[in-house]
Each structure stands twice: as structure tokens, then as C-alpha cells.
Amino acid sequence: MLPLVMLTLTLAACGGSGKLPESCVSAMEAYAPLADNPDFSGYPMHIWLQDANGDVKAATAAWNKRVEADYEAIEKRAGSKSAELQMENQAQQCSRWLEKFEQYKN
């Protein structure tokens, strides 16, 4: 039973069930003040913020909607393990971005 609980906690921490990982939400929040800096224009957060006219909440909600759709598509095509792996990879990538944004601010 304990491994199932640990798996559930792990999946919840990285998003699980197609929800945008918390590290991505944090990355979006950290990215917003950097959005006008040309050195940071290549990040996906740039497009989401641009489409939402700079509204961080709206950009995050749109990104979450996309992640949910992608998760469902992967789950249907390749199964839930593949979808969860994709979510874990996304969470790790967002953590790396977040670290970079926070280093730049300091």
C-alpha cells in the first residue's frame, strides 16, 4: 500500500492526471517580469503570456488547458504510464527554467 501512496504523492507533485505541474506554474510567475527581455523570448511562456496580453493567470490557465489535452491524447495513444512520464518530463523542464529565471533575477 505504501508504494501506491508514494506514487500518488509523486504524481500529484508533478501534476498528475494532466494538470500543469506546479513547477510550470512557478516558472510562468517567475518568467512574467522577464517576458520583455529579448534574451528570454524563446521560452514557451512567452507565447502564452503574449496570447493572454500579459495576464499571468490567463496564460497559466491556457497552458494548463493545453497540457490537459496533450495528456489525454498521450494517454489514449500510448497509455497512462507514457502520459505520466511526459508530465514528469514537463515538470523537470519547468524546474530547470525556473532555476534559470531565478538566477537571472539575482
Side-chain angles (χ1 to χ4, degrees):
M1 183 70 168
L2 186 59
L4 180 58
V5 171
M6 294 300 288
L7 176 62
T8 302
L9 291 173
T10 301
L11 294 177
C14 71
S17 302
K19 184 178 177 234
L20 186 65
E22 282 301 315
S23 60
C24 295
V25 173
S26 297
M28 176 69 81
E29 292 167 352
Y31 177 79
L34 305 172
D36 292 331
N37 184 328
D39 293 336
F40 290 92
S41 64
Y43 291 89
M45 287 75 69
H46 186 78
I47 300 285
W48 295 114
L49 276 170
Q50 200 170 38
D51 288 349
N53 295 318
D55 183 334
V56 174
K57 263 189 156 175
T60 303
W63 192 9
N64 186 56
K65 196 173 197 175
R66 174 63 185 267
V67 165
E68 288 173 346
D70 289 349
Y71 179 92
E72 287 179 22
I74 293 168
E75 188 176 40
K76 284 179 185 174
R77 187 179 70 246
S80 61
K81 285 185 181 182
S82 294
E84 292 298 340
L85 180 60
Q86 177 63 29
M87 293 302 295
E88 288 177 30
N89 290 339
Q90 180 69 60
Q92 291 171 0
Q93 179 61 58
C94 287
S95 292
R96 288 189 294 271
W97 289 334
L98 178 58
E99 190 175 307
K100 186 174 282 192
F101 302 152
E102 288 180 345
Q103 284 176 354
Y104 184 81
K105 286 193 309 188
N106 295 332

